[in-house]
Amino acid sequence: MRIHECRSCQSAALHVVLDLGNHPISNALLAAKSQAREEARHPLQLAFCEDCTLLQITETVPPEILYQRDFPYFSSSSPALLQHAASIAQRLIREHGLGADSLVIEVACNDGYLLRNFVRQGIPCLGIDPAAGPVEHARSIGVPVINDFFSRSLAERLASEGKFADIMIANNVVAHVDAINDFVAGFAKLLKPAGMAVFEFAYAVDMIEKCEFDTIYHEHLFYHTLHGLTPLFARHGLHLNHVERLPIHGGSLRLFVSRGAYRSAELDELMNYERALGVDHLRWYRDFSSRVIRLANSLIKLLRAEKKRGKRIACYGAAAKGSTLVNYLDLGSGFFEYAVDANPHKQGRLMPGQRIPIVHPDRLLETQPDLVLLLVWNFAGEVLRQQSDYRAAGGRFIIPIPEPHVIEPAETIDEAHFAVGLAGAAQAERGAGAGPMHA
């Protein structure tokens, strides 16, 4: 369904700033036997609201289609994410004095990768997630989960049972919800008077500046800035208190929100930075489309040149962002031999659109392709460490974002440009810990 007004403020002043064409649903992996099945494709356009400054895509795919039982994303398949989650959990426990009388609620808890840290310390918690597969895994490790979409009505039901939260966590979900006002109202309903909500999400400023267009797909309805979020939370009696920039996922924000009006110096500094850039004006987004086209053409030229030289090319990471990238490049069936992925729930299936077969990462060393397009470039440090044997045997990686670059076998990378790696996670958390967490 195409929208004609802003999902947040209902303004009709929406302007398309990027059109990526029609794409299949990024996480709708295909069974190998369904090779001949026609896939539904939906427009993938990014629009800017001139009234509330929120970036959003113009098409809404029903969540029942996006988050089916076999939804293949399991957060615990990434060691870097596990460490990232453990670090923030310990920090929240320490700085908020959480204990047996507390309650932590996580919205979109996935497979329990974060809440398990509270379970281990005997701190009451509750997860909420609509995807049955990850929910089953979370329950199997002792995390209590409600298998449903979070909404105001669910929040009211929990409130009627006396389940009010000291801490609410929502990582990488505030960009995914069509009924965004209903979603935020649920947080306002469940937070204790002095409760704190902690959100993590990809930062739109990083996406625009680094040309990270592959992070645009149908699950990501919104691309957030502080300017776009301020009126949304204020509408429900909540205030932005503090913010931290994180390197994970190509550039993210961790945002602390409560009923208190306290504002940290870091929050004001980033708001001023956004204002200086002009993120609240349409003109700042005008050249994004042309930069995306230039980047894609440069990558296509590189890949075709290597193919013409007889080089064999595979992909690493059957992630949603990878689907956007390979379908936008549209190099055709068979161009990439396969895509490796550590998630066993994806192996043996096909990436949507380009129908690239997904296999175990061991295949790289077994078959030694000449080049590997790193679709999960946001975990470059982690992947390159894991594939040290493949690289030692002469394997090369191509990092596509923010500009195509071939990583030679002996070359090191500056992980500050990418997501948190195993070593970087702890460092990022130590640096983040300097900021206040209490309103």
Side-chain angles (χ1 to χ4, degrees):
M1 181 179 69
R2 185 178 178 86
I3 64 167
H4 298 285
E5 58 183 32
C6 174
R7 293 179 178 90
S8 177
C9 73
Q10 285 72 58
S11 168
L14 289 177
H15 300 269
V16 173
V17 296
L18 177 66
D19 187 347
L20 294 174
N22 293 333
H23 284 245
I25 295 170
S26 58
N27 271 315
L29 305 181
L30 302 170
K33 61 184 179 182
S34 61
Q35 181 77 262
R37 195 186 84 193
E38 189 69 24
E39 296 171 84
R41 290 176 177 261
H42 309 274
L44 196 52
Q45 297 177 324
L46 184 67
F48 174 76
C49 175
E50 279 199 292
D51 284 339
C52 76
T53 78
L54 198 59
L55 272 178
Q56 55 206 288
I57 61 171
T58 61
E59 200 79 9
T60 302
V61 178
E64 295 78 11
I65 295 175
L66 291 174
Y67 305 105
Q68 299 180 49
R69 177 181 177 80
D70 61 350
F71 184 66
Y73 186 77
F74 286 71
S75 299
S76 59
S77 65
S78 168
L81 275 182
L82 287 175
Q83 183 167 346
H84 181 75
S87 184
I88 183 60
Q90 294 307 317
R91 179 179 164 197
L92 290 169
I93 292 168
R94 181 179 68 252
E95 298 193 13
H96 287 267
L98 301 178
D101 296 327
S102 307
L103 178 62
V104 176
I105 295 177
E106 184 183 10
V107 176
C109 67
N110 196 255
D111 60 4
Y113 77 109
L114 192 153
L115 285 182
R116 69 182 190 172
N117 295 283
F118 297 98
V119 170
R120 288 170 178 169
Q121 296 198 37
I123 297 170
C125 62
L126 176 65
I128 301 166
D129 200 286
V135 165
E136 284 180 7
H137 180 82
R139 288 171 174 167
S140 74
I141 60 173
V143 177
V145 183
I146 295 174
N147 187 195
D148 202 352
F149 292 98
F150 182 72
S151 63
R152 180 173 182 169
S153 63
L154 177 56
E156 288 172 344
R157 175 163 68 86
L158 292 173
S160 72
E161 299 170 0
K163 294 178 180 176
F164 294 96
D166 298 271
I167 297 290
M168 293 188 72
I169 301 169
N171 289 349
N172 302 306
V173 64
V174 73
H176 295 64
V177 184
D178 178 43
I180 191 64
N181 282 290
D182 181 84
F183 183 78
V184 174
F187 283 80
K189 185 70 178 178
L190 283 183
L191 279 176
K192 291 180 180 179
M196 176 77 72
V198 185
F199 298 86
E200 284 188 22
F201 49 88
Y203 190 26
V205 169
D206 286 316
M207 180 189 76
I208 299 293
E209 290 190 326
K210 300 174 187 175
C211 212
E212 298 168 354
F213 74 94
D214 57 339
T215 61
I216 300 169
Y217 43 90
H218 295 107
E219 289 168 24
H220 284 178
L221 298 171
F222 300 103
Y223 301 83
H224 289 303
T225 63
L226 296 179
H227 275 77
L229 285 171
T230 298
L232 171 62
F233 283 110
R235 203 173 293 132
H236 302 281
L238 297 174
H239 301 273
L240 279 58
N241 302 136
H242 178 61
V243 67
E244 296 162 0
R245 295 190 75 167
L246 306 173
I248 197 165
H249 297 310
S252 299
L253 293 186
R254 178 181 288 151
L255 185 63
F256 299 85
V257 175
S258 75
R259 291 188 175 85
Y262 164 81
R263 296 172 63 89
S264 71
E266 291 87 349
L267 177 66
D268 286 334
E269 181 181 358
L270 193 56
M271 284 288 288
N272 290 336
Y273 174 70
E274 287 189 1
R275 192 174 296 112
L277 287 177
V279 302
D280 52 340
H281 296 285
L282 178 61
R283 60 179 176 270
W284 191 67
Y285 305 89
R286 288 290 192 192
D287 71 337
F288 186 41
S289 180
S290 61
R291 290 191 291 117
V292 167
I293 291 170
R294 283 197 301 271
L295 188 155
N297 286 340
S298 176
L299 182 56
I300 289 170
K301 182 179 178 181
L302 169 62
L303 290 166
R304 284 181 172 162
E306 293 289 347
K307 198 77 167 177
K308 190 173 181 179
R309 293 170 54 205
K311 302 300 183 182
R312 296 168 49 235
I313 307 175
C315 298
Y316 195 107
K321 59 159 35 78
S323 176
T324 295
L325 182 60
V326 297
N327 283 300
Y328 187 66
L329 297 179
D330 196 19
L331 290 166
S333 176
F335 187 92
F336 299 105
E337 290 190 12
Y338 52 78
V340 304
D341 199 289
N343 185 341
H345 300 276
K346 296 183 180 184
Q347 294 161 14
R349 304 171 81 177
L350 305 172
M351 291 186 68
Q354 296 294 297
R355 310 289 178 94
I356 304 169
I358 305 168
V359 299
H360 191 279
D362 287 349
R363 186 72 65 88
L364 289 183
L365 198 57
E366 292 168 0
T367 64
Q368 201 67 31
D370 300 289
L371 289 136
V372 177
L373 178 61
L374 188 53
L375 301 180
V376 287
W377 51 263
N378 53 317
F379 288 105
E382 179 179 333
V383 171
L384 266 60
R385 277 190 298 275
Q386 290 175 351
Q387 294 301 319
S388 58
D389 290 342
Y390 164 73
R391 298 185 69 206
R396 298 184 296 159
F397 280 89
I398 300 174
I399 294 182
I401 306 291
E403 58 185 25
H405 175 63
V406 177
I407 302 294
E408 300 297 337
E411 185 178 350
T412 58
I413 65 167
D414 178 2
E415 289 191 36
H417 293 300
F418 303 103
V420 177
L422 292 178
Q427 181 180 357
E429 292 297 342
R430 284 196 299 272
M437 289 186 56
H438 297 279

